Amino acid sequence: MVLNFQNPSLSELLSVLNPGLSMASEEVLFVQGGRPLCGEAEVQGSKNAALPMLAASLLATEGQTVLHRVPPVKDVLVAMEVLRRLGAKVDYDIRAETAVIDACDIEEFRLPEELTSRFRASLLFIGPLLGRFRRAWISEVGGCTIGSRPTDYHYRGFARLGARVEGVAGGGIDVVADELNGASMYCDLPSHTGVENLVMASCLARGESVIENAASDPEIVDFVALLRKMGARVEGAGTRRVQIAGVEGLVGAEHTVMYDRLDAGLLMMAGAITGGDIALKGVVRDHLHVFEAKLQQMGVEVAAAGECVRVKGPQTLSPINVVTTFYPGFPTDLQPGIMALACIAGGDSYIRETVFEDRLGHVKNLRAFGARVSPEKDRLVIVHGPAQLRGAQVKAMDIRAGAACVLAGLAAEGRTGIHNLYQLDRGHAHIERRLRGLGAELERL
Ligand code: EPU
């Protein structure tokens, strides 16, 4: 099915794509726990690589941008709708997971408020709009409630390039430049979308730019690979120092989005927490070194098996120490999930969140399953395992907290209901279909 994003409304579109992808948040995912998973599943394309690539398509003033393996998750669908509202032509073939974007004739630089309020990654549209039109307007950004999530690196970087960042009476932020000139920029912490945004704003600036203390996540490397195909001159992606030499213009290009390491992590943990034995296609082990090492410390076997990675959970998981940090450290996005595993591990686990100041909301949910988790102190929680988890009624607070609920539900005795499913759907596509393929009992109502 090829969907043309020119006509239907977003909610029509989402319900056509898949009834399970509608915007309704009253949907509930019921999980009947206690079954060891077995069989094969495929990892989806990376949400966090696809989002900046969709934004980057705005930089092309000639030709189409063709992206393959674009996952049909809600944040990505909303991002495509943002492109459409800016005037781009967007076709998304849901079966082939290919998006074709033609942004050559757009003239709009104001981002649609009701969409940008849904996800934080809408910030990523400012960089390319500023680069192309020397102007962008945004009202507010939404996203996961995992801390204050400041935006100072983005706006400070735009200012370094020569833009004025002005709050507008009546709301919103106007970012305007008479001209953009290459500059030296710095992130106090290696910000993932910060780097992507500043790279996009710098691509069409005059002269050389450099971003120091850049994040080095694989999604940034993949995103820069697309930009380079489009004609951008960017060096150093994947290191702490990214350099950009401004060019006159960029053209559309074709690219296949990398596999999603966070979706891979969720599926691997689903195999592990159920004591299952599963094979996963699309796990790039190079992107998951520390995470894989932690699973192995818990007693999980992870091994190559042809083009798949085999994950075999032990009878009893061992407890673990985890400190989240920037890539290549343990990813903050997999912290809620590994905490679910720690709940049934045979002993005390220590889990410290250092990237976001408020990413422990799932502790409450895990307690509802019967887990014994100490009160948080300085973003450290101690999980006292093993607990016998029992099915619970819980609410997904953000994408990855929702993933932790799915994991706990798979391991629990009895039936779990996960509410506020919209959050999980923002980041994981067809999760019940893929887990059902591994023998799990789930249904969405
Ligand atoms: N930070 C600032 N100022 C800024 C930007 C960031 O202080 O202007 C701080 C943040 O508060 C945080 C740290 O820098 O302490 C790193 O945040 P970062 O900017 O890297 O986060 P992000 O770019 O907003 C992306 C992912 C998140 C993921 C984080 C960390 C996308 C679209 N989002 O967010 O993904 O958790 O990097 O790896 O790429 C998710 O997929 O569920 C998700 C939340």
Side-chain angles (χ1 to χ4, degrees), residues 47-48 51 120-121 146 149-154 189-193 262 326 332-333 355-356 359 399-400:
K47 164 181 85 78
N48 290 348
L51 288 169
R120 180 179 160 92
I146 52 182
R149 305 193 80 186
T151 49
D152 52 320
Y153 308 162
H154 301 250
L189 296 172
S191 165
H192 186 145
T193 51
L262 307 174
F326 301 97
T332 170
D333 301 283
V355 178
F356 292 112
R359 201 174 208 175
I399 303 174
R400 313 302 168 187

Side-chain angles (χ1 to χ4, degrees), residues 150-234:
T151 49
D152 52 320
Y153 308 162
H154 301 250
Y155 291 113
R156 227 172 41 210
F158 299 145
R160 297 278 296 174
L161 291 167
R164 295 183 302 281
V165 180
E166 294 162 354
V168 180
I173 295 178
D174 218 354
V175 188
V176 196
D178 301 324
E179 53 180 49
L180 291 176
N181 290 304
S184 155
M185 293 165 276
Y186 176 82
C187 297
D188 298 286
L189 296 172
S191 165
H192 186 145
T193 51
V195 170
E196 291 161 346
N197 223 351
L198 298 180
V199 167
M200 287 189 280
S202 307
C203 275
L204 299 176
R206 194 180 322 136
E208 310 252 327
S209 296
V210 60
I211 306 166
E212 304 280 4
N213 202 30
S216 58
D217 304 66
E219 293 81 5
I220 298 173
V221 177
D222 200 33
F223 152 76
V224 166
L226 168 70
L227 278 181
R228 288 167 62 118
K229 289 181 189 171
M230 293 171 74
R233 290 174 55 204
V234 185

Side-chain angles (χ1 to χ4, degrees), residues 242-314:
V242 178
Q243 292 152 274
I244 308 105
V247 294
E248 284 297 314
L250 296 177
V251 297
E254 187 164 357
H255 190 73
T256 300
V257 179
M258 63 180 263
Y259 282 110
D260 193 315
R261 63 189 163 113
L262 307 174
D263 187 62
L266 169 59
L267 293 173
M268 290 168 83
M269 290 190 283
I273 202 169
T274 60
D277 186 354
I278 61 174
L280 299 173
K281 187 168 172 242
V283 176
V284 182
R285 294 174 78 189
D286 257 359
H287 296 167
L288 286 160
H289 279 307
V290 176
F291 170 70
E292 183 180 317
K294 291 292 169 187
L295 284 187
Q296 283 166 343
Q297 283 171 32
M298 295 185 98
V300 181
E301 284 175 41
V302 182
E307 61 166 2
C308 290
V309 167
R310 184 175 171 198
V311 180
K312 192 166 180 291

